[in-house]
Amino acid sequence: KQEVTQIPAALSVPEGENLVLNCSFTDSAIYNLQWFRQDPGKGLTSLLLIQSSQREQTSGRLNASLDKSSGRSTLYIAASQPGDSATYLCAVHASISNFGNEKLTFGTGTRLTIIP
Amino acid sequence: KAGVTQTPRYLIKTRGQQVTLSCSPISGHRSVSWYQQTPGQGLQFLFEYFSETQRNKGNFPGRFSGRQFSNSRSEMNVSTLELGDSALYLCASSWDYRKTGSSGNTIYFGEGSWLTVV
């Protein structure tokens, strides 16, 4: 059974700092991994999608890496801003059975606060 | 183009009642998934529909059901509501998130439907 862990559960950093969020998964046989952000009371916004064959993806100040062999992904945020404050979730897309069933398994998220 | 639209946004029901939530995916998207989000359990997968067929199902009791129409719009229904069903229900759409190696598997979420059971 795929399990996805995000540590720490909460993180506070001063504005302007670079930071790294971590995501670990137990089964390396994944199709892809996606990072999302969620603002309070809102849905999820897709940030980056990394295919299983890729090592990293970049979008603006965000860079996500994937190491399937170790079951880890990181989301790097450069020059953090107060608007980056949100909960960040990673989700792993993988097979859940031998019958073609697949699903996304989400981590519990890291609540990020950027201090002005 | 318009994003994923969920209705209603907020609703309050009493125990034993049933509820239907609606989701309109992004135009052209054929895959619609439903998730339940609670503070204690996080995001839990309910089911996924693709071209009107349920393709995957999570570990929820039979009181939770769904369907997808020919225009890809989807509904989920919860019968005999329990207090523990209070949650944010999120709908997500993609062109086909099972297609590996393509941008078609980027998933887009709606704002969610907040259900409170009293």
Side-chain angles (χ1 to χ4, degrees), chain B residues 8-117:
Chain B
R9 289 276 287 127
Y10 305 93
L11 67 165
I12 301 173
K13 293 285 188 177
T14 56
R15 274 185 303 175
Q17 285 187 314
Q18 67 93 27
V19 66
T20 299
L21 308 178
S22 179
C23 173
S24 293
I26 291 172
S27 178
H29 285 188
R30 296 187 297 170
S31 170
V32 175
S33 301
W34 289 89
Y35 294 83
Q36 180 196 66
Q37 187 176 32
T38 59
Q41 298 296 317
L43 267 160
Q44 301 289 317
F45 172 72
L46 281 157
F47 29 66
E48 185 229 352
Y49 287 86
F50 183 84
S51 293
E52 301 180 65
T53 300
Q54 186 181 85
R55 197 160 63 171
N56 283 298
K57 189 176 187 301
N59 297 321
F60 278 80
R63 300 185 298 106
F64 292 80
S65 63
R67 59 178 176 169
Q68 186 180 33
F69 302 95
S70 58
N71 61 359
S72 291
R73 189 177 71 85
S74 177
E75 290 181 346
M76 68 162 283
N77 183 78
V78 187
S79 62
T80 320
L81 284 165
E82 300 177 359
L83 295 179
D85 297 333
S86 295
L88 175 64
Y89 289 87
L90 290 164
C91 167
S93 82
S94 71
W95 182 72
D96 182 356
Y97 88 91
R98 291 180 69 178
K99 261 194 157 349
T100 58
S102 80
S103 61
N105 46 16
T106 298
I107 293 176
Y108 300 88
F109 279 81
E111 295 282 279
S113 292
W114 285 96
L115 171 64
T116 301
V117 182

Side-chain angles (χ1 to χ4, degrees), chain A:
Chain A
K1 176 188 172 188
Q2 179 75 263
E3 294 183 1
V4 182
T5 305
Q6 292 185 249
I7 296 174
L11 180 66
S12 293
V13 300
E15 180 180 359
E17 283 199 2
N18 304 325
L19 60 100
V20 174
L21 305 179
N22 298 297
C23 172
S24 301
F25 47 95
T26 54
D27 188 343
S28 62
I30 68 171
Y31 298 125
N32 59 60
L33 184 146
Q34 196 162 352
W35 282 92
F36 297 87
R37 70 172 278 169
Q38 185 176 29
D39 294 285
K42 302 287 189 179
L44 279 68
T45 300
S46 177
L47 297 173
L48 289 164
L49 171 74
I50 311 176
Q51 305 291 353
S52 63
S53 58
Q54 297 174 325
R55 294 299 298 257
E56 65 178 309
Q57 280 286 337
T58 298
S59 176
R61 294 182 295 108
L62 306 179
N63 175 278
S65 69
L66 174 63
D67 184 343
K68 275 202 317 177
S69 60
S70 65
R72 292 179 184 174
S73 176
T74 61
L75 179 66
Y76 174 84
I77 303 177
S80 58
Q81 304 170 358
D84 295 331
S85 297
T87 296
Y88 290 79
L89 298 104
C90 65
V92 169
H93 174 205
S95 173
I96 57 173
S97 76
N98 293 326
F99 303 103
N101 293 335
E102 305 170 17
K103 74 168 189 177
L104 284 181
T105 303
F106 282 83
T108 50
T110 295
R111 189 172 69 252
L112 176 66
T113 302
I114 305 300
I115 305 165

